[in-house]
Amino acid sequence: MSRVGKNPVQIPEGVEVKLEGRILKASSSGKELEYEIPEGISVSVEDKLIILKRDNDTKQGRSLQGLSRSLISNMVTGLKDGFTRKLEMVGRGKRAKVQGKTLVLEIGFSHPVDFPLPEGIEAKVERNIIELSGYDKHVLGQTAANIRRIQPPEPYKGSGIRYQDEHVKKKAGKAAIGGGFTGAGK
């Protein structure tokens, strides 16, 4: 039995939810998100609650109920409060700045990298921290992953772009392997 899927989603004040056929639309202060409800899941909107029920008790039906409930909850939370994701630039000479809807990264390449920000995503830069914020959790996460992909952390020194809460496991360098090489045999 899906423990996540059976919990109703609370609709906060200021968020409007409409069900049009198999599409659930949520809107708040000019922002709008929609989710297409998969087959086998039925949704009802009743007095500030969104209730999801599945048509059958198969494993896929239970999984889809929990997934749909989580995605709908993220939509409502994003429209109410928004989400943030922080990236950290580690290493020497790495700088970033925001110019309009473009994030300009100077990360040691021969040229600055211009990264256009998608609709609904805003960026702030403080020292070596890039803070992304937006109301669509999926787009925000994909944008953060695309920025990280420009220069992922390398395994020896750990320099590059990483999530702020990410731990990079460092490899031992050539000198640290073994006890040293003297060149003389026994």
Side-chain angles (χ1 to χ4, degrees):
M1 183 171 193
S2 174
R3 292 184 212 101
V4 173
K6 69 180 181 179
N7 296 332
V9 177
Q10 194 82 12
I11 302 173
E13 203 64 40
V15 177
E16 185 179 322
V17 176
K18 287 186 272 187
L19 186 61
E20 298 174 1
R22 302 230 29 102
I23 303 224
L24 184 81
K25 293 185 177 185
S27 60
S28 172
S29 64
K31 302 177 277 192
E32 185 173 319
L33 293 173
E34 57 183 51
Y35 175 67
E36 184 176 349
I37 299 159
E39 293 295 323
I41 304 295
S42 58
V43 174
S44 61
V45 180
E46 327 174 331
D47 51 56
K48 295 290 184 186
L49 290 177
I50 302 171
I51 300 169
L52 287 88
K53 294 191 172 138
R54 60 180 178 264
D55 297 341
N56 55 31
D57 200 34
T58 62
K59 180 175 178 151
Q60 183 172 1
R62 291 190 305 267
S63 299
L64 280 176
Q65 183 186 16
L67 172 70
S68 298
R69 192 255 179 224
S70 293
L71 292 175
I72 291 170
S73 175
N74 285 341
M75 281 174 44
V76 171
T77 304
L79 289 171
K80 174 80 168 99
D81 302 323
F83 295 103
T84 60
R85 192 72 193 200
K86 293 184 179 182
L87 295 166
E88 183 177 10
M89 297 181 299
V90 178
R92 297 183 63 167
K94 297 187 185 333
R95 291 188 298 271
K97 59 186 171 188
V98 179
Q99 290 180 341
K101 291 293 286 175
T102 304
L103 181 67
V104 180
L105 300 168
E106 296 173 8
I107 50 178
F109 296 156
S110 62
H111 59 283
V113 178
D114 293 339
F115 185 85
L117 295 171
E119 189 66 34
I121 302 295
E122 295 176 5
K124 288 190 314 190
V125 177
E126 261 186 55
R127 297 181 52 124
N128 64 339
I129 305 290
I130 302 168
E131 183 176 339
L132 301 171
S133 60
Y135 59 91
D136 190 345
K137 191 172 187 178
H138 172 74
V139 174
L140 179 69
Q142 188 62 52
T143 302
N146 290 342
I147 292 172
R148 182 186 180 276
R149 192 175 297 132
I150 293 170
Q151 191 178 44
E154 56 97 15
Y156 293 102
K157 292 183 181 175
S159 66
I161 301 173
R162 66 172 88 165
Y163 300 115
Q164 193 171 32
D165 55 354
E166 179 180 8
H167 176 73
V168 176
K169 190 172 180 181
K170 294 182 183 174
K171 290 183 176 179
K174 210 162 53 169
I177 297 174
F181 179 69
T182 60
K186 287 190 174 189

